[in-house]
Amino acid sequence: MSESDVTRDGVRGGRPDREATTGAVRDDGRQGGRRRRGGGGRGARGERAMVPDAEFRSYYGRSILNPPVWESRDIAGYLFLGGLAGASSVLGAGAHVTGRPALARSTKLAAVAAGALSLAALVHDLGRPMRFLNMLRVFKVTSPMSVGSWLLAGYVPLAGAAAASAVSGRLPRIGAAATAGAAALGPAVASYTAALISDTAVPAWHDGHREMPYVFVGSAATAAGGLGLVAAPLREHGPARALAAMGVGTELAAFELMERRMGMPGEPYSQGRGGTYVRAGKILSVAGAVGAVLGRRSRLAGAVSGGALLAASAATRWGIFHAGLQSANDPKYTVVPQRRRLEEGRPATGTSTTTSSPSRTAASSTGEPRTDA
């Protein structure tokens, strides 16, 4: 039993932890173990009770979206290699026309190698080659995956024919035609993957859909320019150096604009694993571009700068990939933008609820709302 006494001044000798009434405010401003919002009220002078700030949670701590299940080795590599292939074909065609045989040969070889490896990474992620062939049964212009599949199916043979002619010196007319064809498809091959990932419900990808193609094209040009600086002799570095400088400027400007316009959904590009890759890509891009300009008379400086530019493009693609995973796993990047759109009178569904994923197109879980939470 309690030994407390009731006096005119209140309860004396009581034990608050056991006998305090429900809702009683403690001296430290806490009520029932929880803080109430506001600093005071009637009859509660000095009260500092507050409710804990809301956290963005879902049932059992699971994400609101089904995160992508893609392997970074396959899909991030697929994004990087596709960009390198497409831009290399454009650079190779320019070198072919301007009479730079070494640069033309090296970039054509790089284009077919990168294109084939990109296709192999996609097929590996799909699990079976027949799944890629099944995507060629129809052509759907509104599907980035369908368009991309047909682009790769047409591009890789053209790039292969152009490289074979450049290496062997045979069938120059066919080689020139294949070079032109690969160069015509090159920009689309370099940029369609931006539309591919933007056509998902992943916030960091979807909300950047306006600038993402420019980021990808700039990154692809950076990679192709860097490869030209590594593989070609010094006297043929001019086009590669110019392409690299243009690519770095385009990529950095588009990325900066994208992050500013996106606001909070763009945070993963500066935080966590994705942010680390993106920062590394920006630093390497600037260093490679400056080195290419200042070291234009040195073969070694050109090769080192080219390697930095290639690494910069790869880091950017891996950063974009991992930033997307981070945004899909954190509910706030889905919830907060939808609430803001509702407050502004816009539709709440700012992102697609389906996805055209690079793999498992028929039964993809990427970007679809969880129904089993």
Side-chain angles (χ1 to χ4, degrees):
M1 296 181 60
S2 171
E3 299 179 357
S4 59
D5 297 324
V6 178
T7 67
R8 294 181 61 183
D9 296 328
V11 179
R12 178 181 300 169
R15 300 175 62 185
D17 288 342
R18 296 182 58 186
E19 300 178 9
T21 58
T22 302
V25 180
R26 300 178 182 178
D27 291 339
D28 61 355
R30 298 178 64 87
Q31 177 181 10
R34 299 172 55 192
R35 292 187 179 273
R36 293 191 307 175
R37 292 191 182 277
R42 291 185 302 174
R45 186 176 62 181
E47 181 181 344
R48 300 188 307 275
M50 295 177 63
V51 174
D53 293 336
E55 296 181 4
F56 298 97
R57 296 177 179 174
S58 57
Y59 292 113
Y60 305 108
R62 304 181 73 179
S63 59
I64 293 176
L65 301 178
N66 279 336
V69 295
W70 312 328
E71 295 289 339
S72 64
R73 177 186 59 183
D74 292 332
I75 300 307
Y78 161 71
L79 301 179
F80 166 68
L81 291 168
L84 174 61
S88 293
S89 287
V90 175
L91 181 58
H96 179 90
V97 171
T98 57
R100 292 176 169 87
L103 179 61
R105 184 168 53 252
S106 60
T107 50
K108 290 178 184 180
L109 284 172
V112 67
L117 288 173
S118 176
L119 183 59
L122 175 59
V123 171
H124 183 267
D125 187 71
L126 289 169
R128 295 199 309 265
M130 283 303 300
R131 289 178 176 171
F132 177 78
L133 297 177
N134 288 338
M135 291 189 290
L136 300 178
R137 293 184 300 174
V138 296
F139 178 77
K140 189 176 181 182
V141 71
T142 56
S143 168
M145 189 68 253
S146 177
V147 173
S149 299
W150 279 97
L151 277 173
L152 284 178
Y155 169 79
V156 173
L158 288 172
S165 178
V167 172
S168 66
R170 298 180 178 180
L171 304 175
R173 292 185 179 180
I174 294 178
T179 297
L185 295 179
V189 172
S191 60
Y192 89 89
T193 47
L196 184 65
I197 64 172
S198 297
D199 192 37
T200 67
V202 177
W205 295 343
H206 181 276
D207 288 5
H209 68 277
R210 295 180 186 175
E211 298 83 11
M212 195 70 76
Y214 299 98
V215 173
F216 271 47
V217 169
S219 176
T222 299
L227 184 137
L229 293 175
V230 171
L234 184 62
R235 64 181 179 275
E236 299 183 8
H237 276 188
R241 188 183 303 111
L243 182 65
M246 183 193 71
V248 169
T250 301
E251 177 188 347
L252 294 180
F255 218 125
E256 181 67 20
L257 180 61
M258 181 177 72
E259 289 185 273
R260 289 190 177 188
R261 186 186 60 79
M262 289 176 64
M264 192 193 70
E267 289 178 356
Y269 291 121
S270 58
Q271 301 175 0
R273 189 175 182 182
T276 301
Y277 276 115
V278 169
R279 284 191 298 274
K282 292 179 179 179
I283 293 172
L284 288 169
S285 293
V286 174
V290 172
V293 173
L294 297 181
R296 64 176 61 194
R297 298 182 182 277
S298 170
R299 180 70 181 85
L300 178 60
V304 172
S305 299
L309 292 169
L310 278 167
S313 179
T316 297
R317 302 304 177 103
W318 257 265
I320 291 173
F321 177 81
H322 286 289
L325 299 188
Q326 291 170 219
S327 69
N329 281 309
D330 194 332
K332 74 176 182 180
Y333 296 120
T334 300
V335 174
V336 174
Q338 288 189 350
R339 288 177 177 174
R340 289 177 179 173
R341 281 187 285 269
L342 286 174
E343 293 173 356
E344 295 170 1
R346 293 185 289 156
T349 54
T351 57
S352 168
T353 57
T354 58
T355 179
S356 300
S357 65
S359 62
R360 304 168 184 86
T361 307
S364 171
S365 63
T366 308
E368 297 178 359
R370 285 192 183 276
T371 58
D372 57 345

